[in-house]
């Protein structure tokens, strides 16, 4: 496919759509793979599943040294997002955190997917998912 | 009949205390204004409001037949907001889209058009408005320009509407005073002249045509200043519901955000008169609140006004910096 790379994952970048391996139940996000990363089924049969908006932090790192136009500290987390209908396995998702202070974060913290500007392509914003502690926690 | 099947408002987390703006440039400041996060833009904020509105409605995204949006601060001359919101929400590619702009009335234009669209097609429509009002350091309106988004889902009927859109009235007077060029700050002009000759006649004509009568309990007004908005509500004797002192003037978003706030805060059965004044005239809407407004999913506007963090004066400028395309450089 021609065009910018992000076009290929446009749906999962904007709608929290993931792919469930029909052999072993592994849920891949954001990429739909040819081969299942867990059971090795190739070519694997994947079915689209919708992910829930809230999940749990499994682990995170805090980035301190980044280009000047990115605010630091910038936490990056691995989040387990369950499927929206409660069935099957969770997807393990990498995501930047936004609007979240370091003292609000620990392993097991509940976070919410937020549709935010991930980067800009020159001057055009590219929007996708980040995570934050739920807004009601800020009250 | 057209009902409001879902309503959602979005206010960013960050605020600038208006007294911090006053400390920089003199004068006094009361209240606060909303500031977008650095990674928020028109599409992300409007998406938040649309998600809330659709989540509260009985309407499935794939059944939405039209998405109409309004903004007077989108930095792009060509890019559009409506189609991006439609895709993100998951509508069919068969959806009709429209981007309204160029006047503070644009959200009212979008809402009135969506109402006509629903009446004509018997299908649901989504209306959203979003703005990040540009500011100039030291400018007269720096402390009161805000940001936010609001969205409504309209449909011909529903078993559980949050509200009913009873009537609409418009007054296109052609009156112009406040204006803004690309790359410039707004020229407010003579506010007293605008109140007397712009707002007052347009708002009262619009309310007359909406057949508002005298018995509306709550009033919502969108206009680029507290006193202009107060003047717009003079034709009806209603209690004003406003986010002006917590959010500021959020451009076209103010109409839908404040209307959502009023629907969320009023008891079922209450009536709301909503008026949007902008370049060229005013529009008035009469809305009655229904039972489903009593128990809504997601954060209310009031809860978002409470869940906030203050940013420094420097951050308030920095976070809005990229919105200088239609405003002024904040440097
Ligand atoms: Zn597998």
């Amino acid at each position: 496919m021609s065009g910018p790379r992000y076009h290929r994952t446009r749906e999962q970048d904007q709608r929290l759509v993931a792919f469930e391996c029909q052999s072993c139940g592994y849920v891949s996000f954001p990429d739909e793979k040819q081969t299942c990363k867990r059971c090795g089924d190739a070519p694997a049969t994947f079915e689209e599943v919708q992910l829930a908006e809230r999940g749990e932090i499994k682990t995170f790192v805090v980035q301190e040294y980044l280009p000047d136009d990115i605010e630091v500290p910038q936490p990056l987390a691995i989040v387990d997002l369950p499927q929206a209908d409660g069935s099957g396995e969770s997807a393990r998702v990498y995501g930047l955190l936004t609007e979240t202070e370091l003292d609000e974060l620990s392993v097991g913290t509940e976070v919410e997917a937020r549709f935010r500007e991930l980067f800009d392509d020159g001057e055009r914003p590219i929007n996708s998912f980040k995570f934050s502690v739920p807004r009601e926690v800020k009250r | 009949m057209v009902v409001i099947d879902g309503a959602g408002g979005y206010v960013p987390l960050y605020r600038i205390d208006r007294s911090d703006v006053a400390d920089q440039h003199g004068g006094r400041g009361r209240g606060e204004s909303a500031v977008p996060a650095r990674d928020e833009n028109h599409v992300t904020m409007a998406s938040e409001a649309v998600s809330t509105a659709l989540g509260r409605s009985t309407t499935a995204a794939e059944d939405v037949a039209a998405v109409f949006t309004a903004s007077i601060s989108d930095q792009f001359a060509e890019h559009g907001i409506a189609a991006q919101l439609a895709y993100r929400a998951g509508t069919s590619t068969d959806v009709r889209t429209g981007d309204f702009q160029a006047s503070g009335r644009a959200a009212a234009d979008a809402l009135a058009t969506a109402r006509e669209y629903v009446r004509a097609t018997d299908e649901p429509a989504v209306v959203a408005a979003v703005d990040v009002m540009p500011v100039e350091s030291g400018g007269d309106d720096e402390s009161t320009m805000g940001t936010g988004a609001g969205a409504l889902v309209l449909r011909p009927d529903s078993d559980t509407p949050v509200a009913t859109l009873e009537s609409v009235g418009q007054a296109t007077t052609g009156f112009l005073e406040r204006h803004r060029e690309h790359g410039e700050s707004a020229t407010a002009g003579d506010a007293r002249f605008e109140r007397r000759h712009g707002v007052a006649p347009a708002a009262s004509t619009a309310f007359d045509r909406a057949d508002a009568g005298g018995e509306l309990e709550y009033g919502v007004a969108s206009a680029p200043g507290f006193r202009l908005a107060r003047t717009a509500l003079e034709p009806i004797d209603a209690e004003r519901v406003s986010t002006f002192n917590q959010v500021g003037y959020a451009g076209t978003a103010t109409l839908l955000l404040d209307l959502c706030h009023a629907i969320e805060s009023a008891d079922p059965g209450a009536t709301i008169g909503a008026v949007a004044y902008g370049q060229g005239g005013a529009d008035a809407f009469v809305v009655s609140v229904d039972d489903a407004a009593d128990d809504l999913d997601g954060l209310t506007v009031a809860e978002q006004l409470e869940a906030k963090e203050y940013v420094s004066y420097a951050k308030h400028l920095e976070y809005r910096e990229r919105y200088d395309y239609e405003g002024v450089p904040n440097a």
Side-chain angles (χ1 to χ4, degrees):
Chain A
M1 189 189 285
S2 62
R5 189 206 65 82
Y6 53 79
H7 187 77
R8 280 183 248 157
T9 56
R10 191 168 64 124
E11 181 167 21
Q12 47 273 48
D13 286 349
Q14 298 196 28
R15 292 181 185 163
L16 286 178
V17 167
F19 304 93
E20 183 180 59
C21 173
Q22 296 306 291
S23 303
C24 74
Y26 172 77
V27 182
S28 172
F29 180 88
D31 297 320
E32 183 176 14
K33 312 259 193 219
Q34 293 294 315
T35 304
C36 175
K37 200 164 138 184
R38 184 201 283 155
C39 72
D41 202 18
T45 308
F46 283 102
E47 261 186 25
E48 264 190 37
V49 292
Q50 182 70 39
L51 299 178
E53 287 184 358
R54 289 194 182 195
E56 188 177 285
I57 290 184
K58 286 296 160 197
T59 184
F60 64 99
V61 294
V62 180
Q63 305 173 94
E64 289 284 359
Y65 303 100
L66 288 166
D68 285 348
D69 57 341
I70 302 175
E71 279 185 302
V72 290
Q74 169 63 72
L76 171 72
I78 294 175
V79 174
D80 276 1
L81 275 188
Q83 296 185 30
D85 64 6
S87 72
E89 299 183 18
S90 299
R92 190 148 282 189
V93 176
Y94 277 91
L96 294 170
L97 285 145
T98 187
E99 290 180 5
T100 301
E101 303 296 324
L102 295 184
D103 61 14
E104 293 175 308
L105 278 182
S106 56
V107 170
T109 299
E110 184 185 39
V111 287
E112 184 174 34
R114 303 293 297 275
F115 190 58
R116 289 299 175 102
E117 186 168 324
L118 214 55
F119 60 93
D120 62 61
D121 168 24
E123 56 194 23
R124 198 157 53 128
I126 304 302
N127 302 321
S128 190
F129 294 102
K130 293 187 180 179
F131 293 97
S132 74
V133 292
R135 179 80 174 263
E136 65 265 21
V137 173
K138 304 275 189 185
R139 291 173 72 197
Chain B
M1 191 171 69
V2 172
V3 300
I4 298 175
D5 191 32
Y10 178 70
V11 181
L13 177 66
Y14 299 116
R15 306 284 186 281
I16 178 75
D17 189 323
R18 289 175 188 164
S19 62
D20 288 344
V21 177
D23 286 348
Q24 297 289 322
H25 306 288
R28 287 193 314 149
R30 262 180 300 174
E32 56 206 30
S33 294
V35 177
R38 197 174 169 148
D39 59 359
E40 289 186 297
N41 58 48
H42 292 72
V43 173
T44 65
M45 290 195 293
S47 282
E48 296 256 14
V50 169
S51 298
T52 304
L54 274 172
R56 289 169 170 182
S57 79
T58 59
T59 305
E62 57 266 30
D63 295 330
V64 171
V67 176
F68 294 139
T69 62
S71 180
I72 48 173
S73 60
D74 182 21
Q75 64 267 44
F76 291 102
E78 298 179 34
H79 210 226
I81 295 172
Q84 295 190 70
L85 289 185
Y87 182 82
R88 154 91 174 115
T91 68
S92 152
T93 54
D94 193 28
V95 73
R96 165 63 44 208
T97 57
D99 284 274
F100 291 74
Q101 55 181 11
S103 165
R105 288 171 83 189
D109 290 330
L111 176 54
T113 303
R115 176 176 177 263
E116 291 307 319
Y117 193 91
V118 170
R119 279 151 58 118
T121 64
D122 261 355
E123 295 189 281
V126 167
V127 188
V130 57
D131 270 305
V132 181
M133 295 305 288
V135 295
E136 180 182 15
S137 179
D140 287 343
D141 59 6
E142 181 185 4
S143 68
T144 55
M145 288 295 111
T147 182
L152 302 175
V153 181
L154 304 186
R155 51 183 303 136
D157 53 58
S158 165
D159 291 339
T160 54
V162 298
T164 300
L165 190 46
E166 305 283 358
S167 62
V168 179
Q170 55 237 0
T172 296
T173 59
F175 182 91
L176 293 171
E177 180 68 359
R178 177 190 156 95
H179 54 281
R180 179 161 54 89
E181 289 182 54
H182 293 290
E184 302 283 333
S185 62
T187 302
D190 182 337
R192 194 153 159 256
F193 177 72
E194 179 150 35
R195 280 202 305 279
R196 195 173 289 177
H197 299 285
V199 179
S204 65
T205 304
F207 272 123
D208 280 349
R209 290 185 177 148
D211 202 14
E215 67 270 34
L216 297 174
E217 292 163 73
Y218 298 99
V220 161
S222 165
F226 188 85
R227 295 181 72 186
L228 291 169
R230 192 173 60 191
T231 302
L233 282 178
E234 272 166 12
I236 58 169
D237 182 25
E239 182 185 330
R240 182 172 173 187
V241 178
S242 169
T243 59
F244 193 87
N245 285 330
Q246 293 93 23
V247 172
Y249 176 58
T252 63
T254 293
L255 175 69
L256 301 189
L257 178 67
D258 286 13
L259 181 55
C260 181
H261 186 34
I263 290 170
E264 288 168 345
S265 356
D267 289 328
T271 49
I272 303 166
V275 59
Y277 171 80
Q279 287 79 4
D283 304 272
F285 301 86
V286 174
V287 171
S288 60
V289 180
D290 293 312
D291 290 346
D294 228 13
D295 180 26
L296 294 169
D297 293 337
L299 290 183
T300 62
V301 173
E303 287 165 337
Q304 294 177 71
L305 297 179
E306 214 181 298
K308 63 189 169 187
E309 282 177 16
Y310 291 97
V311 294
S312 66
Y313 181 76
K315 290 269 188 228
H316 132 84
L317 291 181
E318 186 193 325
Y319 284 174
R320 299 185 208 229
E321 200 165 47
R322 23 198 206 118
Y323 300 102
D324 63 14
Y325 305 95
E326 289 196 10
V328 291
N330 287 310

